Amino acid sequence: MINNDMITFAEYFNITEKKSVHDPVRPGILKRQTKGKMTCSKARALKAKQKNKGNNTAKAAQRFLNYRGCK
């Protein structure tokens, strides 16, 4: 697997661990930012609080709303 050529751990890690576009970006981001059970109203409020609507938190909140079918 590894030749006699020396490679760094980071290079070896990049070779063995392939990232997919379907891998979660920041798992648990909504749970850490709210208290209690995540609900549609909490997700809406969290999304509205975000100054930058394109950040990971806003995207996660929108994904939650879409997945749950909140209206």
Side-chain angles (χ1 to χ4, degrees):
M1 182 174 355
I2 299 177
N3 307 8
N4 289 338
D5 299 335
M6 296 296 289
I7 62 172
T8 64
F9 177 74
E11 291 171 340
Y12 178 74
F13 185 76
N14 287 336
I15 292 169
T16 57
E17 293 292 321
K18 300 265 182 183
K19 294 279 184 174
S20 170
V21 294
H22 303 292
D23 289 343
V25 178
R26 294 185 63 196
I29 190 170
L30 295 179
K31 190 171 188 84
R32 285 192 300 269
Q33 296 202 14
T34 60
K35 292 187 179 196
K37 187 177 178 184
M38 193 66 187
T39 61
C40 293
S41 59
K42 286 182 184 178
R44 263 190 237 105
L46 185 62
K47 185 180 169 197
K49 268 195 318 192
Q50 301 300 312
K51 191 180 265 188
N52 179 3
K53 303 297 183 198
N55 65 11
N56 287 332
T57 304
K59 287 179 182 179
Q62 183 60 52
R63 203 173 299 117
F64 179 85
L65 293 170
N66 291 344
Y67 179 76
R68 290 287 303 265
C70 302
K71 301 213 176 190

